[in-house]
Amino acid sequence: MKAVVYNGPKDVSVNTIDDPKIEKQTDVIIRLTTTNICGSDLHMYEGRTSFEKGRVFGHENLGEVIEVGAAVDRIKKGDRVCMPFNVGCGFCENCERGLTGFCLTTNPGTAGAAYGFAEMGPWQGGQAELMRVPYADFNCLKLPEDAEEKEDDYVMLSDIFPTGWHGVELSGFLPGESIAIYGAGPVGLMAAHSAEIRSASQIFVVDSHDDRLKLAEAMGAIPIDMRKGDPAQQILDATGGLGTDRGVEAVGYQCCDRHGKERSNYTMNCLVKSTKATGGIGVVGVFIPEDPNAPDDLQKEGKMAFDFGNFWFKGQKIGTGQCNVKHYNRRLMKLIEQDRANPAQIISHRLPLDQAPDAYKHFDERDAGWTKVVLKPGT
Ligand code: NAD
Ligand code: ZN
């Protein structure tokens, strides 16, 4: 089969590799029809992780079941399914509590597993014609009748829609409250979409890219252009000096090297500043524990200069971590089915698998107009 393979920093290619096989009777094999490129893929793509050469990318996957292990009961050949990026077992202590992002079986001893990811288990990604899904009865979300028609909406259930929703949830958000979202990438835009669906009174979205800020505005958010000055101050000025009830971090530690002068603590400290006293902050942007490639010594150790003094003094709360996609995906699927949510609105490109190397380049450079790329194997 054809698959998008990592060769080294900023170097991916579409190679022919062996087809995946049923390895345990709880597995299924999926023929992918839509598989997305995600901001999280860029941590590997840019060479900041221990991702091995030859590994297949892709954790945002949707397709048709073509082969079913003998112990798979609920999922049938021909079903159209979307997989959470987390690989869960369904029976460990964490999965039982709904914390599938922290499964103790699929990546023992560390924080959870994902397809096509560094440090998150051996699972191959789905930017390919075929993929193997373990514990398939647990990990496959069976899609409704309109699966084909709304495929580009449903594929967002694999990661960014639940992750944006999770960011809002981690902040402790309640309907009617105001919220500021840092980062207008796909995750930040999905947080804005979630806040809008959940009846936020005011939504601010911070970024420095016109095309992304325009999308945020089209979703009902107030765009904050960080090129025009301190974004936290802009939010304070727009809220009578009080700030917002809630805040979401949807950037992660990447902002340090991408924006030169800023460090990965930049968005966190902006959030402390622009969130009200007693407010809440949800952090879904990825911060990686130890990073030998980071630009300064603190970050090499996975640490940052966090403004804990103001955070404590303002009595704020914080929530962090991987999204437990399975906790949300069935309910968010209903919102799509009932036309209450349309996450596909942020897609900028629908491309065949062969064009993945070029798409990675443009998306990584944040080239204008490259907001969210979905790959269509088989086209
Ligand atoms: P992305 O890189 O496309 O988006 C990030 C956006 O942040 C960009 O538009 C960039 O211009 C903007 N930005 C950079 N520095 C900024 C700053 N200082 N202030 C405000 N905006 C700034 O990526 P994405 O796909 O939207 O992902 C965002 C983050 O979410 C990544 O770290 C990704 O790994 C993470 N993520 C986490 C989970 C989870 O489960 N927690 C799941 C998916 C993605
Ligand atoms: Zn993703």
Side-chain angles (χ1 to χ4, degrees), residues 73-232:
D73 192 35
R74 186 176 66 86
I75 297 299
K76 310 277 181 237
K77 210 169 145 178
D79 284 351
R80 294 188 77 80
V81 292
C82 179
M83 278 61 64
F85 76 85
N86 325 105
V87 188
C89 68
F91 51 76
C92 73
E93 190 180 324
N94 285 348
C95 283
E96 273 188 357
R97 292 160 64 212
L99 306 174
T100 52
F102 301 84
C103 177
L104 298 167
T105 309
T106 50
N107 190 19
T110 59
Y115 305 95
F117 229 94
E119 287 122 37
M120 295 187 78
W123 314 99
Q124 288 288 54
Q127 288 171 18
E129 290 174 306
L130 302 170
M131 74 181 286
R132 176 170 82 96
V133 176
Y135 306 109
D137 276 331
F138 187 69
N139 286 315
C140 295
L141 176 72
K142 196 174 159 185
L143 297 170
E145 287 298 305
D146 60 358
E148 241 169 297
E149 184 194 323
K150 290 190 185 160
E151 175 149 335
D152 290 349
D153 285 306
Y154 287 128
V155 72
M156 303 307 172
L157 295 171
S158 57
D159 182 349
I160 60 166
F161 188 21
T163 296
W165 193 277
H166 187 54
V168 174
E169 185 79 14
L170 285 174
S171 77
F173 174 85
L174 295 171
E177 291 187 327
S178 57
I179 190 162
I181 295 156
Y182 286 77
V187 171
L189 290 170
M190 286 297 101
H193 193 39
S194 302
E196 171 71 15
I197 293 168
R198 296 171 75 168
S199 302
S201 53
Q202 246 184 340
I203 307 167
F204 296 92
V205 175
V206 180
D207 208 297
S208 58
H209 291 273
D210 292 326
D211 55 332
R212 294 177 176 215
L213 287 170
K214 263 198 199 105
L215 280 170
E217 200 171 8
M219 284 174 168
I222 300 161
I224 299 289
D225 185 343
M226 56 190 276
R227 291 168 301 188
K228 294 186 179 156
D230 178 357

